[in-house]
Structure formats: structure tokens, C-alpha cells
Amino acid sequence: MITDTNLYILAGFTAPIHIGTTAGALLLALPLIAVIAIIYKVTKIDEIKFVHFVRQVVILFTSIVVFMILAAAIIFGIIKITIG
Amino acid sequence: MEEIAPVKIGPKGIAFLLIVGLGAWWIPGTGHWLIGQPKKAAIIFLSILSAFTLGIWLGSIAVIDAGTPWYWAQMLNSPLVAYFAHLSSSLNLESYGKPREIGEIYTAIAGMLNLLCVVNAVYLAHNLNIKKAD
């Protein structure tokens, strides 16, 4: 049953936000990459010690971002060479 | 070569694994909390919830659509996602294009990350069972 309270809580989630087809939209990948890095490290590290954990997460986050940029640059290069 | 004797786990041990697995599925992080790892539980809960909430904020709850294959991955967040699918269809909410696409990706990946946590919690619970049996 949908009550007024439910509708009030969900009001902010009933319409999508505007996301343009711009290079800036790619930044939306960053929070997701951060969550992936955090969850992966939580399952891998035996005991959570704040500084060590944060360092590991930052290293993984940076690695993913750097490799995605490299992959994008390589694909861009291949397309430029083959299609022009 | 030394033979390793198989460890027998009783019905209590199996019930514990089931409770950990189901708990971790219903509320992300519960599995780790049940096996005595509250820090990991809190991090998992906040991370999965953040990714899921961001997903439904970007694309609206219309991204939870029982008619798409994404729904199966989204359901891995929690069975409570079925309620969002019900709300989405009963309110006739619509979402198209990039916001929907990004919302689906966020919510589905959050679900798959929760599956990773469920498997990890059950594995750690199994290790606890073995330690107790020894």
C-alpha cells in the first residue's frame, strides 16, 4: 500500500536528474569506482585498520582510474588510425 | 603425504551459514556483523546503500523495472528492492536515456558487490565453523 509518508520520502527519487552528453558526465563513474574499490578491499583485508585500509582503497581507486584512462586513450588511438 | 580429515559440520553450523547468507542479502553488511566483524559490516552497509541510493537518485526509482534483466542484479541488493519495483510500476514512473542507463548501472553494480559480500561472509562463517569443530 502506498501511503502519503512513502510518497513524501520517495519524492526526491521519482524523477530522473538531467545528465547531459558531455565529458563531465564521465565523472559520474568516480563514485562507483570508489565503492567498488572499498568493497573489494573490505573482502580482501583480514582486519580493518583505518590508515592501512584507506591507503589500499586509494591505491586501487587510482589504479582503476589510470587503467580506464589508458584503455580509453588506446581505443581512441585505434579509432583515429582505422577510421580517421 | 599427510591426509587431511574432512571436517563435519552439524545442522547448527549449516543453519548459521544460512542465517549469515540470508542476513547479508536482506541487509547489506549483516553477514559480517553476525560473524563478529562490525567495522566491515558498517563499511559494507554504507557503501552499498550509497551506491544504490545514488543510482535511484540519478535515474529515479523507475530504473528498478521488473521487466528488464537489470532487475536480477538489482535484487541482489536486498529482496526489499521488489517493493521499489512495485512502487515504480504502480506510480507509472518513467526514466529514459542517460539517467536511466547510469541509474541501472549503479544499482546493478551495487547488487553484484553485495553478492561478493554475501559470498565472503558465508566463507568466513564456514571458517568459523571449522575452527569450532576443531
Side-chain angles (χ1 to χ4, degrees), chain A residues 4-74:
Chain A
D4 287 347
T5 316
N6 287 347
L7 283 176
Y8 178 75
I9 293 167
L10 290 165
F13 299 93
T14 50
I17 65 156
H18 173 73
I19 301 171
T21 312
T22 61
L26 291 172
L27 294 175
L28 282 170
L30 296 180
L32 191 60
I33 295 170
V35 171
I36 291 170
I38 291 167
I39 295 291
Y40 181 77
K41 283 298 169 187
V42 161
T43 60
K44 286 291 167 189
I45 293 173
D46 287 334
E47 196 185 340
I48 303 285
K49 285 176 186 162
F50 184 73
V51 177
H52 174 70
F53 177 70
V54 170
R55 191 185 301 137
Q56 291 290 315
V57 168
V58 169
I59 291 169
L60 181 58
F61 175 82
T62 312
S63 310
I64 295 171
V65 172
V66 167
F67 278 99
M68 281 180 77
I69 292 169
L70 281 176
I74 290 167

Side-chain angles (χ1 to χ4, degrees), chain B residues 6 9 12 14 17 19 21 24 36 38 50 53 66 70 91 98 104 109 111:
Chain B
I9 297 165
K12 272 188 183 176
I14 292 168
L17 295 182
I19 290 167
S50 305
T53 309
W70 289 103
L91 294 172
K98 230 175 173 52
E104 281 175 337
I109 289 182

Side-chain angles (χ1 to χ4, degrees), chain A residues 15-17 19 28, chain B residues 53-60 95 99-100 102-103 106:
Chain A
I17 65 156
I19 301 171
L28 282 170
Chain B
T53 309
L54 192 55
I56 58 172
W57 178 67
L58 290 169
S60 86
S95 178
R100 182 183 179 107
I102 294 174
Y106 262 89

Side-chain angles (χ1 to χ4, degrees), chain B residues 77-126:
Chain B
N77 281 292
S78 168
L80 302 173
V81 166
Y83 179 63
F84 286 103
H86 164 71
L87 274 182
S88 168
S89 64
S90 58
L91 294 172
N92 292 318
L93 298 176
E94 297 287 352
S95 178
Y96 298 104
K98 230 175 173 52
R100 182 183 179 107
E101 193 179 285
I102 294 174
E104 281 175 337
I105 291 170
Y106 262 89
T107 48
I109 289 182
M112 288 186 275
L113 287 172
N114 194 39
L115 176 65
L116 178 69
C117 295
V118 171
V119 172
N120 185 249
V122 172
Y123 169 73
L124 293 173
H126 180 63

Side-chain angles (χ1 to χ4, degrees), chain B residues 5-14 16 125-134:
Chain B
V7 180
K8 281 190 178 176
I9 297 165
K12 272 188 183 176
I14 292 168
F16 182 56
H126 180 63
N127 285 349
L128 278 181
N129 276 343
I130 290 173
K131 268 186 193 172
K132 277 183 190 169
D134 285 344

